[in-house]
mmCIF file of all heavy atoms in Angstrom:
data_model
loop_
_atom_site.group_PDB
_atom_site.id
_atom_site.type_symbol
_atom_site.label_atom_id
_atom_site.label_comp_id
_atom_site.label_asym_id
_atom_site.label_seq_id
_atom_site.Cartn_x
_atom_site.Cartn_y
_atom_site.Cartn_z
ATOM 1 N N PRO A 146 -36.444 37.529 -117.414
ATOM 2 C CA PRO A 146 -36.966 36.990 -118.676
ATOM 3 C C PRO A 146 -36.518 35.554 -118.946
ATOM 4 O O PRO A 146 -37.269 34.770 -119.535
ATOM 5 C CB PRO A 146 -36.417 37.959 -119.727
ATOM 6 C CG PRO A 146 -36.199 39.239 -118.995
ATOM 7 C CD PRO A 146 -35.763 38.831 -117.618
ATOM 8 N N THR A 147 -35.300 35.191 -118.524
ATOM 9 C CA THR A 147 -34.834 33.825 -118.725
ATOM 10 C C THR A 147 -35.695 32.837 -117.956
ATOM 11 O O THR A 147 -35.985 31.730 -118.431
ATOM 12 C CB THR A 147 -33.363 33.693 -118.292
ATOM 13 O OG1 THR A 147 -32.564 34.564 -119.087
ATOM 14 C CG2 THR A 147 -32.864 32.270 -118.465
ATOM 15 N N LEU A 148 -36.128 33.216 -116.759
ATOM 16 C CA LEU A 148 -36.979 32.345 -115.955
ATOM 17 C C LEU A 148 -38.453 32.461 -116.322
ATOM 18 O O LEU A 148 -39.279 31.700 -115.806
ATOM 19 C CB LEU A 148 -36.810 32.676 -114.468
ATOM 20 C CG LEU A 148 -35.411 32.463 -113.872
ATOM 21 C CD1 LEU A 148 -35.417 32.795 -112.391
ATOM 22 C CD2 LEU A 148 -34.930 31.041 -114.103
ATOM 23 N N GLY A 149 -38.787 33.404 -117.191
ATOM 24 C CA GLY A 149 -40.180 33.590 -117.560
ATOM 25 C C GLY A 149 -40.995 34.264 -116.478
ATOM 26 O O GLY A 149 -42.207 34.042 -116.375
ATOM 27 N N LEU A 150 -40.360 35.102 -115.663
ATOM 28 C CA LEU A 150 -41.045 35.772 -114.561
ATOM 29 C C LEU A 150 -41.324 37.229 -114.923
ATOM 30 O O LEU A 150 -40.493 37.900 -115.529
ATOM 31 C CB LEU A 150 -40.195 35.721 -113.293
ATOM 32 C CG LEU A 150 -39.866 34.324 -112.758
ATOM 33 C CD1 LEU A 150 -38.988 34.426 -111.520
ATOM 34 C CD2 LEU A 150 -41.133 33.550 -112.438
ATOM 35 N N THR A 151 -42.495 37.697 -114.517
ATOM 36 C CA THR A 151 -42.909 39.078 -114.776
ATOM 37 C C THR A 151 -43.316 39.727 -113.459
ATOM 38 O O THR A 151 -44.095 39.136 -112.703
ATOM 39 C CB THR A 151 -44.094 39.126 -115.751
ATOM 40 O OG1 THR A 151 -43.742 38.449 -116.954
ATOM 41 C CG2 THR A 151 -44.475 40.557 -116.077
ATOM 42 N N PRO A 152 -42.820 40.895 -113.127
ATOM 43 C CA PRO A 152 -43.220 41.561 -111.879
ATOM 44 C C PRO A 152 -44.723 41.820 -111.839
ATOM 45 O O PRO A 152 -45.356 42.091 -112.871
ATOM 46 C CB PRO A 152 -42.425 42.870 -111.903
ATOM 47 C CG PRO A 152 -41.263 42.599 -112.802
ATOM 48 C CD PRO A 152 -41.772 41.653 -113.842
ATOM 49 N N ILE A 153 -45.295 41.742 -110.640
ATOM 50 C CA ILE A 153 -46.722 42.037 -110.494
ATOM 51 C C ILE A 153 -46.957 43.543 -110.452
ATOM 52 O O ILE A 153 -48.080 44.007 -110.678
ATOM 53 C CB ILE A 153 -47.299 41.367 -109.236
ATOM 54 C CG1 ILE A 153 -46.547 41.819 -107.985
ATOM 55 C CG2 ILE A 153 -47.246 39.856 -109.358
ATOM 56 C CD1 ILE A 153 -47.118 41.251 -106.689
ATOM 57 N N VAL A 154 -45.912 44.290 -110.141
ATOM 58 C CA VAL A 154 -45.959 45.752 -110.172
ATOM 59 C C VAL A 154 -44.651 46.226 -110.799
ATOM 60 O O VAL A 154 -43.575 45.715 -110.483
ATOM 61 C CB VAL A 154 -46.123 46.363 -108.759
ATOM 62 C CG1 VAL A 154 -46.048 47.886 -108.818
ATOM 63 C CG2 VAL A 154 -47.432 45.930 -108.129
ATOM 64 N N GLY A 155 -44.737 47.200 -111.692
ATOM 65 C CA GLY A 155 -43.519 47.760 -112.272
ATOM 66 C C GLY A 155 -42.985 46.937 -113.434
ATOM 67 O O GLY A 155 -43.733 46.341 -114.197
ATOM 68 N N ARG A 156 -41.656 46.871 -113.541
ATOM 69 C CA ARG A 156 -41.001 46.277 -114.702
ATOM 70 C C ARG A 156 -39.783 45.466 -114.278
ATOM 71 O O ARG A 156 -39.414 45.421 -113.099
ATOM 72 C CB ARG A 156 -40.548 47.396 -115.647
ATOM 73 C CG ARG A 156 -39.591 48.400 -114.986
ATOM 74 C CD ARG A 156 -39.016 49.389 -115.976
ATOM 75 N NE ARG A 156 -38.188 50.410 -115.338
ATOM 76 C CZ ARG A 156 -36.913 50.252 -115.001
ATOM 77 N NH1 ARG A 156 -36.308 49.089 -115.232
ATOM 78 N NH2 ARG A 156 -36.234 51.232 -114.439
ATOM 79 N N THR A 157 -39.166 44.819 -115.259
ATOM 80 C CA THR A 157 -37.902 44.129 -115.024
ATOM 81 C C THR A 157 -36.748 45.126 -115.207
ATOM 82 O O THR A 157 -36.955 46.297 -115.526
ATOM 83 C CB THR A 157 -37.738 42.959 -115.994
ATOM 84 O OG1 THR A 157 -37.755 43.463 -117.335
ATOM 85 C CG2 THR A 157 -38.865 41.952 -115.832
ATOM 86 N N PHE A 158 -35.528 44.640 -115.031
ATOM 87 C CA PHE A 158 -34.362 45.498 -115.182
ATOM 88 C C PHE A 158 -34.093 45.810 -116.650
ATOM 89 O O PHE A 158 -34.353 44.991 -117.537
ATOM 90 C CB PHE A 158 -33.124 44.825 -114.586
ATOM 91 C CG PHE A 158 -33.222 44.607 -113.096
ATOM 92 C CD1 PHE A 158 -33.210 43.328 -112.582
ATOM 93 C CD2 PHE A 158 -33.323 45.679 -112.235
ATOM 94 C CE1 PHE A 158 -33.297 43.117 -111.218
ATOM 95 C CE2 PHE A 158 -33.420 45.484 -110.866
ATOM 96 C CZ PHE A 158 -33.406 44.197 -110.353
ATOM 97 N N ARG A 159 -33.564 46.995 -116.904
ATOM 98 C CA ARG A 159 -33.149 47.388 -118.253
ATOM 99 C C ARG A 159 -31.669 47.093 -118.447
ATOM 100 O O ARG A 159 -30.913 46.952 -117.488
ATOM 101 C CB ARG A 159 -33.416 48.872 -118.488
ATOM 102 C CG ARG A 159 -34.880 49.279 -118.427
ATOM 103 C CD ARG A 159 -35.032 50.705 -118.981
ATOM 104 N NE ARG A 159 -34.148 51.638 -118.289
ATOM 105 C CZ ARG A 159 -34.547 52.501 -117.361
ATOM 106 N NH1 ARG A 159 -35.814 52.546 -117.010
ATOM 107 N NH2 ARG A 159 -33.680 53.321 -116.784
ATOM 108 N N ALA A 160 -31.250 47.025 -119.699
ATOM 109 C CA ALA A 160 -29.848 46.728 -120.003
ATOM 110 C C ALA A 160 -28.922 47.823 -119.475
ATOM 111 O O ALA A 160 -27.812 47.538 -119.022
ATOM 112 C CB ALA A 160 -29.667 46.556 -121.511
ATOM 113 N N ASP A 161 -29.369 49.092 -119.508
ATOM 114 C CA ASP A 161 -28.505 50.167 -119.036
ATOM 115 C C ASP A 161 -28.322 50.149 -117.525
ATOM 116 O O ASP A 161 -27.400 50.791 -116.995
ATOM 117 C CB ASP A 161 -29.066 51.530 -119.481
ATOM 118 C CG ASP A 161 -30.451 51.782 -118.906
ATOM 119 O OD1 ASP A 161 -31.380 51.023 -119.242
ATOM 120 O OD2 ASP A 161 -30.599 52.726 -118.107
#
Side-chain angles (χ1 to χ4, degrees):
T147 299
L148 297 182
L150 299 179
T151 304
I153 58 177
V154 175
R156 58 173 176 82
T157 60
F158 296 117
R159 297 192 306 257
D161 61 297

